[in-house]
């Protein structure tokens, strides 16, 4: 996926200079939000970590704490997300979704269905390190039934699963989707269609419901193409009245250096409008400005 992001490392990077720009933007009366968002969206996450270190050295303060005290609302959430290392961002999102009042299954599904097996393993070990808890235990303690079984399968991050048996119970889908190689899964879906006469999505919709159905469909969509999955998620986050800002921030930040170009292309193909225009119509202010910079262009 190299180079499919919209955010790239900045060529003439100087962490100290950037730290000074941010310091000036925040000191004294009023805050120069524009300077902050223009700079941070034009640096890679690794570079933002270097800026954070330089800021600490120069000013003795934690950059993220200073940003939090100067900014507010959705814009603050977006900037804090940009300042968080990617695996840590996933760990925090998962922890919040489990430890809040009631479990946010949608976050569990989105992250566990879309991340690569090696990323899932990194998430598990950082989760343990940060919270001294086992992610699998936390997830299983908070969910139940076949939904829980499927999440456990995703947390195993296996690249090979058991023998394919086509029964008619929900368990068959879990067995089939337990293999995390997308190329393999796409072959299985073709085979499934030939044998059953149905697309696997249709069967999942017919034979399952609730959170189990959601996680199974997410895994199938990701196997068919992760950018397509995220294009659809972004569309759903913004369509109708109201916006799921948490989801919008999570996807725009976590995919900005990975596959945002492909997500934009899929969005255009599926929804006859651009991601850029959709964000523009659905958000406002500095929050909108920063999101549009992460989006990186309009595919009108």
């Amino acid at each position: 996926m190299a180079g499919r992001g919209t955010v790239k490392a900045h060529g003439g990077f100087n962490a100290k200079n950037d730290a000074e720009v941010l310091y000036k933007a925040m000191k004294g009366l009023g805050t120069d939000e524009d300077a902050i968002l223009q700079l941070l969206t034009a640096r890679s996450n690794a570079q933002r970590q270097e800026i954070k270190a330089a800021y600490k050295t120069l000013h003795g303060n934690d950059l993220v704490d200073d940003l939090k005290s100067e900014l507010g609302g959705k814009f603050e959430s977006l900037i804090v997300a940009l300042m968080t290392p990617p695996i840590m961002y996933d760990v925090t999102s998962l922890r919040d979704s489990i430890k809040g009042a009631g479990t946010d299954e949608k976050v569990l599904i989105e992250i566990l269905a879309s991340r690569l097996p090696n990323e899932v393993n990194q998430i598990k070990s950082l989760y343990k390190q940060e919270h001294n808890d086992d992610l699998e235990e936390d997830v299983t303690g908070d969910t139940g039934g076949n939904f829980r079984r499927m999440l456990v399968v995703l947390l195993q991050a296996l690249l090979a699963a058991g023998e394919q048996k086509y029964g008619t119970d929900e368990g068959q889908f879990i067995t089939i989707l337990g293999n995390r190689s997308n190329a393999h899964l796409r072959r299985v879906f073709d085979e499934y269609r030939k044998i059953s006469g149905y697309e696997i999505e249709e069967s999942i919709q017919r034979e399952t419901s609730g959170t189990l159905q959601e996680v199974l469909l997410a895994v199938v969509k990701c196997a068919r193409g992760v950018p397509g999955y995220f294009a659809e998620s972004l569309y759903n986050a913004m369509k109708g009245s109201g916006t799921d800002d948490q989801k919008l921030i999570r996807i725009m930040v976590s995919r900005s250096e990975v596959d945002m170009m492909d997500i934009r292309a899929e969005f255009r193909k599926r929804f006859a409008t651009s991601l850029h225009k959709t964000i523009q119509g659905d958000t406002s202010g500095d929050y909108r400005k920063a999101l549009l910079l992460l989006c990186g262009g309009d595919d009108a």
Side-chain angles (χ1 to χ4, degrees):
M1 291 307 300
R4 299 306 296 158
T6 45
V7 171
K8 308 232 187 305
H10 180 61
F13 178 61
N14 182 317
K16 214 187 255 179
N17 291 354
D18 285 353
E20 285 309 304
V21 170
L22 293 172
Y23 182 74
K24 286 197 183 89
M26 292 188 280
K27 78 169 211 271
L29 284 172
T31 305
D32 186 350
E33 285 91 355
D34 200 58
I36 295 170
L37 71 88
Q38 294 289 348
L39 190 144
L40 292 178
T41 56
R43 302 293 182 272
S44 67
N45 193 285
Q47 290 176 332
R48 291 179 207 128
Q49 304 316 315
E50 288 184 53
I51 296 170
K52 188 180 166 172
Y55 190 93
K56 181 85 175 164
T57 307
L58 293 165
H59 301 291
N61 287 0
D62 182 295
L63 174 56
V64 177
D65 288 346
D66 281 2
L67 286 164
K68 281 181 177 169
S69 71
E70 295 292 325
L71 309 174
K74 297 179 282 204
F75 180 56
E76 178 191 326
S77 304
L78 177 59
I79 295 296
V80 170
L82 285 172
M83 288 303 304
T84 312
I87 297 293
M88 179 60 107
Y89 186 44
D90 282 350
V91 165
T92 308
S93 301
L94 287 167
R95 181 74 174 183
D96 292 347
S97 74
I98 295 164
K99 293 295 170 194
T103 309
D104 188 344
E105 287 95 353
K106 287 183 170 32
V107 177
L108 293 180
I109 292 169
E110 178 193 300
I111 293 175
L112 297 179
S114 67
R115 301 303 187 256
L116 299 165
N118 66 318
E119 291 169 335
V120 173
N121 287 325
Q122 288 176 285
I123 289 168
K124 286 195 294 195
S125 56
L126 186 59
Y127 189 95
K128 181 96 185 146
Q129 196 185 310
E130 286 295 311
H131 303 293
N132 206 17
D133 282 329
D134 185 294
L135 178 58
E136 200 173 305
E137 282 173 20
D138 281 358
V139 164
T140 51
D142 241 33
T143 55
N146 277 325
F147 176 57
R148 172 165 77 188
R149 269 182 69 198
M150 188 63 213
L151 292 179
V152 169
V153 163
L154 294 177
L155 282 161
Q156 300 295 326
L158 297 173
L159 277 167
E163 196 41 50
Q164 310 295 348
K165 290 189 178 60
Y166 300 110
T168 52
D169 64 326
E170 296 178 338
Q172 68 151 341
F173 297 123
I174 297 174
T175 308
I176 291 172
L177 298 172
N179 183 312
R180 305 302 294 126
S181 154
N182 288 342
H184 168 85
L185 283 177
R186 286 193 292 270
R187 286 195 296 276
V188 172
F189 300 161
D190 285 344
E191 199 53 34
Y192 186 93
R193 191 183 58 238
K194 283 175 197 150
I195 293 169
S196 69
Y198 293 104
E199 291 293 357
I200 192 164
E201 290 92 332
E202 297 174 89
S203 298
I204 289 171
Q205 274 164 334
R206 209 174 43 245
E207 295 184 29
T208 66
S209 61
T211 50
L212 175 65
Q213 182 179 100
E214 279 179 50
V215 71
L216 294 172
L217 289 174
V219 172
V220 171
K221 284 170 188 167
C222 286
R224 292 203 189 271
V226 170
Y229 168 71
F230 281 120
E232 197 173 299
S233 297
L234 284 167
Y235 181 78
N236 290 332
M238 293 184 278
K239 75 164 203 256
S241 63
T243 305
D244 184 343
D245 289 292
Q246 265 183 314
K247 184 190 273 192
L248 182 54
I249 292 170
R250 204 169 50 243
I251 299 173
M252 294 304 292
V253 169
S254 64
R255 308 316 289 186
S256 60
E257 288 183 56
V258 185
D259 52 6
M260 188 55 70
M261 300 296 287
D262 300 317
I263 291 171
R264 272 168 44 187
E266 283 294 329
F267 196 98
R268 186 79 191 77
K269 209 160 69 189
R270 291 169 188 225
F271 305 113
T273 182
S274 68
L275 177 57
H276 193 279
K277 280 194 178 54
T278 308
I279 292 171
Q280 211 163 13
D282 228 57
T283 57
S284 62
D286 295 315
Y287 176 55
R288 175 206 277 167
K289 259 190 227 171
L291 285 171
L292 290 176
L293 286 167
L294 293 178
C295 177
D298 190 357
D299 315 283

